[in-house]
Amino acid sequence: MAVHRSLPVRILGTGEQLPSNKVESSALDARWNKPAGWTFRHSGVESRYYAGKDETTSSMAAGAARAALAVAELRADQLDCIVSACSVMEQAIPCSAVLIQRELGLGGSGIPAFDINATCLSFLAALDTLSAAMAVGRYRRVLIVSSEIASAGLNENDPVTAMLFGDGAAAVVLECSDTEGDGQILGTHFETYADGADLCQVRSGGTRIRPRETLDAFLQGAFFEMNGPATYRMAAKLLPRFLDRLFERAQVRLDQLACIVPHQASVKGLAHLEAALNLPDEMLVRVLATRGNQMAASIPVALHQAISSQRIRRGDMIALVGSGAGLSFGGTVLRY
């Protein structure tokens, strides 16, 4: 396997936007007529947030972007590119990044805006793609935003999936590094195993199911579907080898990392990652209990929480890792 050449890109600022509706697990216990504490015991999520009727993917993204820009001490018009990295778009056309650009008051700016979609790995895919473009001089400052309204596609009568997910947005501002030893992307690795393509899916919303021909099937296919046990078994089998290849590509050892920022897939998934790497409990950044699984937003939200709480400090070497529908794995090792 080829060793990844480090890229001179650093994180300049991060931000988060939470929706207005906080939903405690006790409320879901009542909804499903379950004993008190049932939802938390089975999900590990104490509370999550759901977007209100007036909160959109792009409005939440813009809120997170403004927060990240404030930390970076930049105006929105100083950006060279805006990228939306979401699992599910706000609408089919145009792409969500266009709507985010307009929400930021940049509708007449001409700043390029486009989407990168790799389901729950969308943020990592965008980070990989844009850092490479920045390293060759294509852009200097880039905004990546992951904004998710998972609640829009949840089947409220299916506790297995509905209890786990939450809505939210996070943004990261990237800048080219000018000083040697400053922030760097040290290595990135992705793997996809399409034998698992049917394990997590939303079948409607594209061209496969056509509403004018099969409206009932279209409506049914709009709900998120997941075979949780099969997804976990497949991921557990493939994850250790993927992690070995990620660290090999980045040329780092596990004991060099300050922490690992994982996709907040589930309590079971986080526990397996911890066991697979034989990690001390404090090595993993966890926000699942107060955010739920926020799909593509979960990694940048966890990253923002770790940075804003000073758990991650300048100069620290960290790994961002996760899995997504497909079944895919992705990871990035960077120096913050």
Side-chain angles (χ1 to χ4, degrees):
M1 175 180 293
V3 174
H4 193 289
R5 182 173 66 86
S6 63
L7 303 177
V9 174
R10 67 170 180 156
I11 295 171
L12 200 60
T14 64
E16 181 185 13
Q17 178 76 16
L18 285 173
S20 57
N21 300 325
K22 185 177 183 179
V23 181
E24 303 285 352
S25 283
S26 57
L28 299 183
D29 291 338
R31 175 190 295 174
W32 297 318
N33 295 316
K34 299 292 186 181
W38 183 91
T39 301
F40 174 65
R41 287 196 303 273
H42 285 80
S43 67
V45 182
E46 296 175 357
S47 60
R48 75 286 290 147
Y49 291 81
Y50 289 166
K53 291 182 179 179
D54 296 329
E55 292 173 307
T56 64
T57 296
S58 56
S59 68
M60 292 197 309
R66 292 187 189 101
L69 287 164
V71 173
E73 298 182 340
L74 291 176
R75 301 187 312 272
D77 61 6
Q78 291 177 292
L79 295 168
D80 300 313
C81 186
I82 298 169
V83 177
S84 173
C86 308
S87 297
V88 182
M89 296 168 62
E90 183 168 325
Q91 60 188 67
I93 296 174
C95 67
S96 295
V98 169
L99 305 179
I100 295 168
Q101 188 210 58
R102 184 173 64 185
E103 286 279 351
L104 289 172
L106 300 171
S109 68
I111 296 172
F114 53 87
D115 288 12
I116 292 179
N117 185 305
T119 63
C120 293
L121 295 175
S122 295
F123 174 76
L124 293 184
L127 180 61
D128 180 37
T129 302
L130 273 299
S131 60
M134 294 169 71
V136 297
R138 181 67 181 87
Y139 309 111
R140 179 165 179 77
R141 298 188 182 102
V142 170
L143 172 70
I144 301 176
V145 190
S146 295
S147 180
E148 301 281 24
I149 303 182
S151 60
L154 295 177
N155 183 346
E156 293 185 346
N157 297 317
D158 178 17
V160 174
T161 55
M163 66 181 173
L164 184 59
F165 291 87
D167 304 341
V172 173
V173 177
L174 303 176
E175 183 181 55
C176 290
S177 301
D178 296 322
T179 305
E180 187 174 348
D182 205 347
Q184 292 177 307
I185 306 293
L186 300 173
T188 299
H189 185 55
F190 288 88
E191 295 179 3
T192 296
Y193 299 89
D195 287 346
D198 295 335
L199 297 179
C200 298
Q201 59 182 342
V202 177
R203 293 176 291 112
S204 295
T207 59
R208 182 178 181 181
I209 301 178
R210 303 170 189 181
R212 68 170 176 268
E213 298 173 4
T214 54
L215 182 58
D216 289 343
F218 180 85
L219 294 175
Q220 185 60 38
F223 289 119
F224 173 71
E225 301 169 3
M226 178 175 67
N227 184 332
T231 301
Y232 175 78
R233 287 194 299 270
M234 187 173 183
K237 177 182 177 181
L238 297 169
L239 180 63
R241 286 178 294 172
F242 162 77
L243 292 169
D244 288 342
R245 287 188 279 263
L246 168 64
F247 296 137
E248 178 186 351
R249 173 159 285 189
Q251 290 292 282
V252 299
R253 302 185 314 274
L254 192 59
D255 61 10
Q256 294 177 288
L257 299 177
C259 67
I260 294 177
V261 182
H263 170 44
Q264 310 291 301
S266 66
V267 166
K268 194 173 182 179
L270 291 172
H272 180 74
L273 176 61
E274 186 175 271
L277 293 175
N278 193 26
L279 297 174
D281 183 67
E282 64 273 11
M283 270 287 284
L284 282 187
V285 175
R286 288 180 168 89
V287 298
L288 181 72
T290 58
R291 297 292 186 272
N293 181 337
Q294 295 171 299
M295 303 194 297
S298 74
I299 290 179
V301 164
L303 176 64
H304 167 73
Q305 290 295 318
I307 291 173
S308 60
S309 66
Q310 296 191 321
R311 183 170 177 180
I312 295 174
R313 299 174 182 271
R314 285 294 177 191
D316 283 350
M317 194 182 303
I318 64 172
L320 315 178
V321 298
S323 60
L327 180 71
S328 294
F329 299 92
T332 297
V333 180
L334 61 88
R335 179 174 289 108
Y336 174 69

